[in-house]
Amino acid sequence: AKKALVVQYEVEATILGETGDEMLGDRKKCQKIIRLKSLNTNTDVAALARKVVEECKLIHPSKLSEVEQLLFYLQNRKKATEKRVVKPRDLTPFEGMEIDEEANINKVEEYVELLYEGMEEKVKGATLILHLARNPVNLEELLENETALGALARVLREDWKQSVELATTIIYVFFCFSSFSQFHGLVTHYKIGALCMNVMEHELKRYDLWQDELQKKTRTYILHFRKEHEKAFKKYQGLLVKQEQLLRVALYLLLNLAEDTRTELKMRNKNIVHMLVKTLDRENEELLVLVVSFLKKLSIFLENKNDMAEVDTVERLSRLVPCEHEDLLNITLRLLLNLSFDTGLRIKMVQVGLLPKLTSLLGDENHKQMAMCILYHISVDDRFKSMFAYTDCIPQLMKMLFEHGEERIDAELISFCINLAANKKNAQLICEGNGLKMLMKRALKLKDPLLMKMIRNISQHDGPPKHLFIDYVGDLAAQITPDENEEYVIECLGTLANLTIADLDWELVLKEYNLVPYFKDRLKPGSAEDDLILEVVIMIGTVSMDDSCAAMLAKSGIIPAIIELLNAQQEDDEFVCQIVYVFYQMVFHQATREVIIKETQAPAYLIDLMHDKNAEIRKVCDNTLDIIAEYDEEWGRKTQREKFRWHNSQWLEMVESRQMEEGEPFMYGEDGEMDRPDLFYSTDGITPASGAVSPDFFSDPYAQNGDGQHGYDRETNFNIPKHY
């Protein structure tokens, strides 16, 4: 017989009017026959499928697997009497089940009659039909035999509790149909999925009863009757094997039906997640592969993931890591990766001891990628970063980094290293030996911004690691040029800004590498990305700790540029806080203090920011103004008046709000006017009893700052700067 594929398609023709509206349309059904002259038993089906899809433009590339499957069936279509093994999918419940020579598609009615007799005959009839169903060629003909399928569904519904073998065989028949999406409607029509859910629930309860009974018998027999104990255990093992076969075929069918998300939702409503998690206690590795695969598929939906979080899913999975079965270990790691996106489940992973287990897999080529991704998610949480120091994780990661040569480092690997370097103990381990030297050499050579970010995280920790960077200050400063990649420069600047080392001569560094003009140019709003400008501000704050360096910056005219930047970025808490910190550093030195107090409006801005919503900004402003007040009495008085005015207004607001709440207008007359003039303040001419207000009260420079802007109204979501 000639072999061919028939492609069904529709051609639609539409006539559009002048305005583009559809005026007339027609649709025609067509088909194209693809002759497969070269298809024989030795043909490479995968290659032929690709060729068919490439040459026939009517077939979408997404249908490649379906074409390959059809070619496979055509290739294996032989006489019904020939003995062979059939696998409808890569995953089948029972590998190696052979086609019975006696099974004949023309005898289906005879097999159906057996389903109406005793239990043995029912099993035999169902088995013969199964042998036919395992040959995909017979499925369409069986589909047309509603009597046979209806009888199978009825027997399953009525007798599944009576015989595990019968239930397994009938469900397997419908599994053969479920292997193809076009037959899912048939399986759903007979409600086989719902029956499988009932079967699973029942069998799991039976398993619990068996376990309880076995434990009772074990306690009794082990003391008196060893032979009876062995006999009972052997019986339990036999029952368990049959039950797990039934569970496998039922789960395979449900997994196939779960391709439809609506069907999957129905399964969730019937508690599929809890049943699958309960099955994780089994020892049958093939069953476990199926169960974990099903859970992995379900875990991509939030509701299912939440269901898994409610039961001890992670605890049960932890015993499978590591394990001898490669496929089981791989799919378990993939499920854990999906679950690791949930903070609560990551905590459980650490609590059940998965951290050292996953670390041990970093040396396994087959599983290190999955293990690393899970560990990366765990490392995001600061609470767990320090735990990595007590495993062999960091030495393995350093080895992987240096094995890359000049190639770009994998994103997962470098991201993991960046997270770990944010912990002080980990940073010390990274720097051991020539660790930092090798990292710096590679980062400077390849100009890798991510590797430099890792180095930057190391540089933020006080102690031995920070002092190791003294040898690299010049190398890092040399990278800060307008021609370099901005992301790379940001990390180099950030690393330098972290080096708050007392004996470092920053003036020499700035002069030798001509960094002051670069800083001034980058401080202009819009001159670069905000991240780069912010790093320049932080760097200025660091170098301003040096007396001579601060004086050099003040003479260069950089302070007005910083104030201009403050005006432009007044809504950004991080910018404001770092700029205020620069002022804080500069008022420590006499040369820069005089410039800030006498030649700029910086103190006025600081007074304006004293009552900012951000606690860190208020803190740095107060400290800076306290220093200014020690050296300049006039600004000290202005600061005190503003503090008094603020606290006074806050007190009045509190009193008024309390009166509004309590409804007690005891301070007011009938017309709402105050009738207690003796309560008016008359201290220092601020608010005399006469009601006049001293002109001095309005003379503060911060109220006339040139652009009329003061009182920065920002949301408080700022992280504490690393400088203080």
Side-chain angles (χ1 to χ4, degrees), residues 370-411:
M370 281 295 112
M372 188 182 301
C373 290
I374 300 168
L375 289 170
Y376 164 74
H377 283 170
I378 293 173
S379 72
V380 169
D381 196 319
D382 289 337
R383 291 173 292 179
F384 306 135
K385 284 185 173 72
S386 60
M387 294 184 179
F388 288 90
Y390 302 99
T391 69
D392 63 343
C393 180
I394 290 173
Q396 291 192 70
L397 294 179
M398 294 297 286
K399 183 182 177 184
M400 291 180 202
L401 281 176
F402 299 137
E403 283 176 350
H404 273 76
E406 295 189 4
E407 300 173 3
R408 181 68 67 176
I409 301 171
D410 295 336

Side-chain angles (χ1 to χ4, degrees), residues 484-682:
E484 285 290 357
N485 176 273
E486 279 197 4
E487 290 184 13
Y488 178 62
V489 172
I490 286 171
E491 303 307 330
C492 292
L493 272 170
T495 305
L496 285 171
N498 284 335
L499 304 183
T500 50
I501 303 171
D503 54 352
L504 192 56
D505 190 348
W506 282 114
E507 183 184 13
L508 180 62
V509 174
L510 296 188
K511 285 181 178 179
E512 185 173 345
Y513 295 97
N514 198 30
L515 293 181
V516 175
Y518 178 87
F519 291 167
K520 288 186 67 177
D521 185 56
R522 287 292 177 267
L523 286 175
K524 296 174 184 175
S527 63
E529 292 293 328
D530 281 357
D531 288 344
L532 179 56
I533 299 173
L534 180 62
E535 290 304 326
V536 170
V537 174
I538 296 171
M539 180 68 181
I540 292 171
T542 298
V543 300
S544 294
M545 291 188 298
D546 183 279
D547 194 350
S548 57
C549 191
M552 183 180 71
L553 288 172
K555 290 176 184 177
S556 71
I558 213 165
I559 296 175
I562 292 175
I563 292 176
E564 183 183 350
L565 180 64
L566 177 60
N567 277 327
Q569 298 287 354
Q570 59 181 279
E571 298 301 324
D572 190 313
D573 275 9
E574 194 166 3
F575 263 104
V576 172
C577 198
Q578 296 297 351
I579 289 171
V580 172
Y581 179 75
V582 171
F583 295 150
Y584 173 74
Q585 288 292 352
M586 287 189 168
V587 295
F588 271 106
H589 314 296
Q590 183 176 354
T592 49
R593 187 188 310 126
E594 292 297 322
V595 173
I596 287 176
I597 295 174
K598 305 296 184 183
E599 300 178 17
T600 74
Q601 289 295 312
Y605 279 93
L606 292 171
I607 289 176
D608 215 11
L609 291 164
M610 275 172 45
H611 313 301
D612 193 272
K613 291 181 180 179
N614 188 297
E616 283 304 318
I617 293 175
R618 295 198 303 271
K619 178 182 175 182
V620 184
C621 279
D622 286 344
N623 292 339
T624 309
L625 287 168
D626 287 345
I627 297 171
I628 291 174
E630 289 181 20
Y631 294 95
D632 191 288
E633 293 183 3
E634 183 182 353
W635 279 113
R637 287 194 299 272
K638 291 174 181 177
T639 302
Q640 285 301 109
R641 284 203 301 272
E642 171 59 19
K643 286 183 178 180
F644 178 80
R645 186 194 66 78
W646 172 261
H647 290 300
N648 191 40
S649 65
Q650 293 293 102
W651 184 84
L652 288 173
E653 283 182 15
M654 180 190 70
V655 171
E656 289 177 6
S657 63
R658 184 175 296 175
Q659 291 169 359
M660 293 291 289
E661 290 173 3
E662 297 176 357
E664 298 178 359
F666 59 87
M667 291 179 63
Y668 300 89
E670 294 181 0
D671 57 353
E673 294 292 333
M674 272 191 162
D675 56 4
R676 294 284 306 277
D678 56 304
L679 294 178
F680 279 53
Y681 285 95
S682 58

Side-chain angles (χ1 to χ4, degrees), residues 209-422:
L209 291 173
W210 292 347
Q211 290 284 84
D212 293 340
E213 186 180 347
L214 184 65
Q215 287 179 3
K216 290 177 184 177
K217 288 183 177 180
T218 299
R219 285 194 294 268
T220 304
Y221 290 156
I222 207 163
L223 295 174
H224 308 290
F225 311 105
R226 184 170 296 276
K227 288 185 178 180
E228 283 80 356
H229 171 259
E230 292 175 356
K231 184 178 178 181
F233 185 73
K234 191 174 181 181
K235 179 183 177 182
Y236 163 76
Q237 290 290 91
L239 292 171
L240 194 60
V241 169
K242 290 183 178 180
Q243 186 190 67
E244 289 180 345
Q245 281 186 333
L246 174 57
L247 290 175
R248 281 187 70 197
V249 70
L251 281 172
Y252 269 118
L253 184 143
L254 290 171
L255 182 57
N256 287 346
L257 295 181
E259 289 178 0
D260 186 332
T261 53
R262 293 169 298 180
T263 304
E264 184 179 304
L265 180 59
K266 291 178 182 178
M267 294 180 193
R268 178 189 175 257
N269 293 336
K270 288 182 174 288
N271 223 15
I272 184 69
V273 171
H274 288 227
M275 286 191 274
L276 288 169
V277 172
K278 200 171 183 181
T279 314
L280 288 173
D281 290 335
R282 304 301 179 101
E283 299 297 329
N284 186 317
E285 291 178 335
E286 296 303 323
L287 175 62
L288 287 172
V289 169
L290 174 59
V291 171
V292 178
S293 299
F294 208 151
L295 285 169
K296 175 184 168 292
K297 182 185 185 306
L298 295 170
S299 67
I300 64 175
F301 291 102
L302 178 66
E303 296 82 3
N304 296 329
K305 185 269 297 178
N306 291 341
D307 287 347
M308 293 178 204
E310 290 176 1
V311 290
D312 50 354
T313 308
V314 171
E315 291 87 332
R316 296 180 191 230
L317 289 173
S318 65
R319 76 179 185 89
L320 304 177
V321 180
C323 67
E324 297 288 328
H325 197 290
E326 287 288 304
D327 291 339
L328 178 56
L329 179 55
N330 180 268
I331 197 65
T332 301
L333 291 175
R334 291 178 181 276
L335 172 56
L336 285 170
L337 177 60
N338 284 2
L339 298 180
S340 68
F341 285 90
D342 182 279
T343 305
L345 290 173
R346 286 202 301 271
I347 293 172
K348 283 189 178 179
M349 289 178 194
V350 175
Q351 290 173 342
V352 300
L354 271 173
L355 190 61
K357 290 183 176 183
L358 292 167
T359 299
S360 68
L361 292 174
L362 292 175
D364 187 329
E365 282 297 322
N366 294 328
H367 305 294
K368 73 175 183 181
Q369 197 71 12
M370 281 295 112
M372 188 182 301
C373 290
I374 300 168
L375 289 170
Y376 164 74
H377 283 170
I378 293 173
S379 72
V380 169
D381 196 319
D382 289 337
R383 291 173 292 179
F384 306 135
K385 284 185 173 72
S386 60
M387 294 184 179
F388 288 90
Y390 302 99
T391 69
D392 63 343
C393 180
I394 290 173
Q396 291 192 70
L397 294 179
M398 294 297 286
K399 183 182 177 184
M400 291 180 202
L401 281 176
F402 299 137
E403 283 176 350
H404 273 76
E406 295 189 4
E407 300 173 3
R408 181 68 67 176
I409 301 171
D410 295 336
E412 294 85 358
L413 173 58
I414 190 60
S415 301
F416 187 21
C417 292
I418 289 169
N419 282 357
L420 293 183

